[in-house]
Amino acid sequence: MSELIYKEITEKIIGAAMRVHSKLGNGFQEVIYQRALAIEMKKLNLLFQREYNMKIYYDGEEIGERRADFFVEDKILVELKAIIKLEDVHMAQAKNYLEAYNMEIGLLINFGAVSLEFKRLQNKKYQSSPFPNNPKIL
């Protein structure tokens, strides 16, 4: 099996999420976990944008915007949830965001369950050529 793309970065993010969940447990609103995860990622010297507005394109035309929870190291989209259980609709939503933003790798992290849930997602339609809606961290 091939090596996971951006394995080191995703492991750092997941580890940070585990620390947050360990300290806070479940039951808070998503924004609380988002703020705590930002603190943990800063400790790891990860570059990120929180609540990053990303444009959505269709056939080369902008059709709207969506705010990503985190955009990490110019490479990884991180979507947070604070719900009892991740369902297929949440996975589909995260995959759609990866495709809409032409991001190769994403993480879907749920703080709402008794144990932290996370899914690593890969965009099968990813195009490595420059893409107008693939943002960069300033």
Side-chain angles (χ1 to χ4, degrees):
M1 186 173 218
S2 64
E3 186 176 325
L4 292 177
I5 300 166
Y6 308 131
K7 181 178 187 272
E8 291 175 19
I9 300 169
T10 57
E11 285 178 349
K12 284 182 180 181
I13 297 166
I14 292 165
M18 287 179 170
R19 283 187 292 285
V20 168
H21 195 272
S22 175
K23 289 179 184 178
L24 294 179
N26 62 332
F28 289 100
Q29 292 179 325
E30 183 181 306
V31 69
I32 298 299
Y33 297 110
Q34 189 184 84
R35 291 172 184 160
L37 185 57
I39 291 168
E40 288 295 333
M41 290 196 302
K42 280 181 196 169
K43 291 179 188 176
L44 296 171
N45 295 316
L46 288 170
L47 296 175
F48 64 88
Q49 290 277 342
R50 188 175 143 233
E51 294 189 342
Y52 189 84
N53 275 341
M54 298 176 78
K55 295 182 186 315
I56 297 174
Y57 293 85
Y58 179 82
D59 277 347
E61 291 187 43
E62 182 183 333
I63 59 171
E65 286 186 342
R66 205 271 170 191
R67 192 171 281 172
D69 289 323
F70 287 99
F71 179 58
V72 183
E73 295 285 333
D74 287 338
K75 295 172 175 65
I76 306 192
L77 182 73
V78 180
E79 194 61 33
L80 304 182
K81 298 291 180 194
I83 55 179
I84 293 171
K85 183 178 181 354
L86 284 177
E87 297 186 16
D88 290 343
V89 67
H90 304 114
M91 293 286 289
Q93 181 185 48
K95 286 180 182 179
N96 285 342
Y97 294 156
L98 284 179
E99 290 176 12
Y101 306 143
N102 193 44
M103 301 291 301
E104 190 171 12
I105 301 296
L107 289 173
L108 176 59
I109 301 173
N110 180 29
F111 290 96
V114 175
S115 296
L116 183 77
E117 293 180 302
F118 60 90
K119 303 288 181 190
R120 189 179 192 283
L121 308 167
Q122 185 168 358
N123 179 2
K124 304 291 186 199
K125 298 178 182 177
Y126 174 75
Q127 299 172 13
S128 60
S129 62
F131 200 75
N133 56 327
N134 191 341
K136 297 295 178 208
I137 297 172
L138 302 175

